[in-house]
Amino acid sequence: EKTTPSTMAGANDNSSSSSDKGMEEIGEQIRVSFVLDSSVSDRSLKVPSEPIAIPADLKRKGLSAVINHLLDRQDDDSDDEKEQALPFDFIVANRLLRTGVEQAARRYGLSLEQAVKISYFPAQQAPEVSQQGEPEPDWIGTVAYENDCVYTGGYDGSIVIHDDALKTIASAQAHTGPIKCLATSRRENGNTVIATGSMDQTLVTHSYDASSKVLEKQANFVDGHTSSIASVDFFQNDKMVSGDWDGGLALWNFVDITESEEQAVKKRKTSSKSKRASVVNMQPLVKFQAHSSQISGVSWNNDSKYLISGSWDHTLKVWDVERQESLLTLNGSRVISCLDVAHASQVVATGHPDCTIRLWDVRTDSEAASSLVSDSSLKPSHKAWVSAVKWSPTDPYSLASTSHDGTLKIWDIRSSLPLHTVRAFPKEEKGLCLAFGTGVILAGGSDCVVKQFKC
């Protein structure tokens, strides 16, 4: 007798191999229709979408067994001709399934008279350390990933550049105090510009030439801040914004630097003294008081029209920077310690000292009235101050976070609980910064070692 998905699922719950007996032990059933999520590129994982009956209380593990059975994938090494079974995750009503199917359907108000639609996709694996760099002189306060290189800013004021194997390939003493923020921008000539802000109240840029592995100071940004600089970001490759501990924002033009850099390259061929002459001083285009307390994060929204800023004054703001106009102010109940804007949506993730990550909808167009703006909290999972949050560059639902508790967490925002928690730093050490690349996460902290995780 041919095994049906229903009897196979029953067998997965230790029922008899007999179809009749399996059906008796299954109990209440529910009709479902499986649909491979559109984000999955491997369409060979698609199963027939015709409704089938399964046990109503089946959860992720049982549903994965059903999908693997329909795909004819094995869950052990007994048959070498079959492909290995995969773990899957499931979506019901745009929420990750974490209960039985019927319970979820009733919770989300779905009719049980029709087949419940269940989307599925291969489950994200727990991040694993793939490699780590050599110990750096001091805490790693910030990290970025650009053009197959890893850039770190240390509490000793130095910039260190690593290759994709985390071997140090260049470094420079950029500041006299701890570096609190770092941003990178790839230029048309192939060089990477690194902007860093420090507790020494200075903001500078360096230019890195990957072909020659030369890292040179490019510009000082002056008269924009009179306190420690804790946030910086590039805008459309020709502007930069920075925020300080007094709540001030400054916007800077980048075009003049590029022109000066091109002239300096020509001069360096004939003069050994031109390196110092190539450093320019830049004045802000605009500067203004944006918050009443420290600005802990700045990021341009996904279409680069507006700037998002978060502060210790408990507010998240959306700005038209050139007009110095606040388009939206969201008042929270906690200090905002870090933020990041999703690449494919208008969702902002913020981290807080109360161990919580919050999600904000910051749409400002006419179709999204203020009543649609939401503050949705993920369940507190960290045990200490959340120091960094970063969105995946490829998955609009995937988010990474680290904390002073030394852990790295991976979230799918369709669930309020983390998918995975791994200890990224030794006990008593703090996680301070993250960078999220395609399939990799970089983490730095108080143990002075940058780590790469496969995910």
Side-chain angles (χ1 to χ4, degrees):
E1 180 178 5
K2 183 178 180 180
T3 306
T4 66
S6 297
T7 59
M8 186 283 307
N12 187 61
D13 292 331
N14 297 320
S15 68
S16 166
S17 60
S18 165
S19 295
D20 292 339
K21 187 175 180 180
M23 292 295 288
E24 290 173 0
E25 295 186 2
I26 287 172
E28 294 294 325
Q29 291 191 315
I30 188 171
R31 294 173 68 248
V32 301
S33 175
F34 290 110
V35 178
L36 182 62
D37 194 83
S38 59
S39 65
V40 180
S41 58
D42 184 0
R43 305 312 290 180
S44 69
L45 298 177
K46 183 178 179 180
V47 301
S49 59
E50 289 77 10
I52 60 174
I54 63 171
D57 60 353
L58 215 57
K59 298 181 182 180
R60 280 188 299 166
K61 187 175 181 180
L63 290 173
S64 285
V66 173
I67 296 296
N68 280 299
H69 172 77
L70 293 172
L71 293 171
D72 199 27
R73 286 176 172 263
Q74 63 180 1
D75 56 6
D76 54 42
D77 297 325
S78 60
D79 187 348
D80 294 336
E81 294 181 359
K82 291 185 178 181
E83 293 184 273
Q84 191 69 32
L86 296 174
F88 290 92
D89 256 318
F90 301 86
I91 300 291
V92 175
N94 204 35
R95 299 287 192 278
L96 274 184
L97 185 66
R98 291 296 180 263
T99 63
V101 177
E102 182 178 9
Q103 182 180 346
R106 293 186 184 279
R107 176 184 297 174
Y108 304 134
L110 302 180
S111 172
L112 299 183
E113 295 181 359
Q114 299 178 341
V116 175
K117 179 181 176 181
I118 302 179
S119 299
Y120 67 97
F121 56 93
Q124 184 171 358
Q125 300 302 298
E128 297 181 352
V129 175
S130 57
Q131 51 197 2
Q132 59 184 35
E134 296 296 323
E136 297 186 16
D138 209 336
W139 292 8
I140 298 173
T142 182
V143 61
Y145 184 68
E146 176 84 27
N147 194 29
D148 295 328
C149 288
V150 177
Y151 304 82
T152 59
Y155 271 44
D156 65 337
S158 66
I159 301 170
V160 179
I161 303 178
H162 314 257
D163 61 18
D164 57 5
L166 296 185
K167 302 295 183 183
T168 299
I169 52 178
S171 63
Q173 190 66 37
H175 302 272
T176 59
I179 295 176
K180 299 296 290 182
C181 55
L182 182 152
T184 59
S185 176
R186 180 79 180 273
R187 313 308 296 175
E188 291 183 0
N189 62 5
N191 289 0
T192 299
V193 174
I194 307 108
T196 51
S198 170
M199 289 180 67
D200 67 6
Q201 304 181 12
T202 62
L203 177 66
V204 302
T205 56
H206 286 71
S207 179
Y208 174 64
D209 184 342
S211 60
S212 62
K213 293 183 172 54
V214 172
L215 177 64
E216 295 180 316
K217 187 173 182 180
Q218 183 190 54
N220 298 303
F221 292 78
V222 299
D223 299 333
H225 302 283
T226 57
S227 63
S228 298
I229 299 163
S231 52
V232 65
D233 197 17
F234 286 100
F235 168 48
Q236 291 185 343
N237 231 28
D238 64 351
K239 289 184 175 63
M240 185 176 71
V241 69
S242 53
D244 62 40
W245 279 17
D246 288 337
L249 276 178
L251 180 68
W252 311 85
N253 200 336
F254 221 69
V255 175
D256 294 340
I257 300 179
T258 305
E259 294 173 352
S260 299
E261 182 184 12
E262 290 175 352
Q263 294 172 3
V265 169
K266 296 178 181 179
K267 291 180 180 179
R268 279 197 293 271
K269 295 180 179 179
T270 57
S271 173
S272 61
K273 299 180 181 180
S274 61
K275 179 182 291 186
R276 181 172 296 178
S278 68
V279 178
V280 298
N281 290 332
M282 299 296 296
Q283 298 283 334
L285 293 175
V286 295
K287 59 178 181 178
F288 58 95
Q289 190 72 26
H291 292 271
S292 61
S293 187
Q294 174 179 335
I295 296 177
S296 50
V298 293
S299 182
W300 298 96
N301 73 333
N302 63 337
D303 56 8
S304 297
K305 287 184 179 180
Y306 308 118
L307 178 76
I308 316 294
S309 63
S311 169
W312 283 30
D313 66 8
H314 300 189
T315 65
L316 189 73
K317 295 188 177 185
V318 183
W319 296 94
D320 182 324
V321 178
E322 293 186 352
R323 296 170 61 183
Q324 303 178 41
E325 179 183 358
S326 176
L327 305 176
L328 183 68
T329 297
L330 305 178
N331 294 295
S333 59
R334 295 289 187 273
V335 163
I336 295 174
S337 54
C338 54
L339 68 81
D340 194 32
V341 180
H343 296 269
S345 69
Q346 300 282 22
V347 179
V348 179
T350 56
H352 305 265
D354 65 352
C355 312
T356 303
I357 295 169
R358 294 178 170 87
L359 305 176
W360 308 77
D361 181 346
V362 295
R363 290 173 292 178
T364 58
D365 56 36
S366 59
E367 296 179 359
S370 58
S371 62
L372 294 178
V373 176
S374 63
D375 164 11
S376 176
S377 299
L378 303 177
K379 288 187 178 180
S381 181
H382 283 292
K383 304 302 181 184
W385 180 300
V386 179
S387 50
V389 289
K390 288 294 178 183
W391 290 97
S392 164
T394 56
D395 185 344
Y397 299 106
S398 184
L399 180 72
S401 64
T402 193
S403 160
H404 289 180
D405 65 11
T407 65
L408 167 65
K409 293 181 183 286
I410 305 297
W411 305 77
D412 185 311
I413 63 171
R414 292 167 293 189
S415 173
S416 61
L417 295 173
L419 294 179
H420 303 290
T421 299
V422 298
R423 173 149 293 282
F425 302 91
K427 191 176 181 181
E428 308 301 331
E429 299 290 358
K430 301 175 181 179
L432 299 176
C433 55
L434 292 175
F436 208 145
T438 302
V440 296
I441 296 174
L442 287 306
S446 62
D447 66 346
C448 311
V449 176
V450 63
K451 302 174 183 65
Q452 178 176 291
F453 295 82
K454 285 186 177 181
C455 60

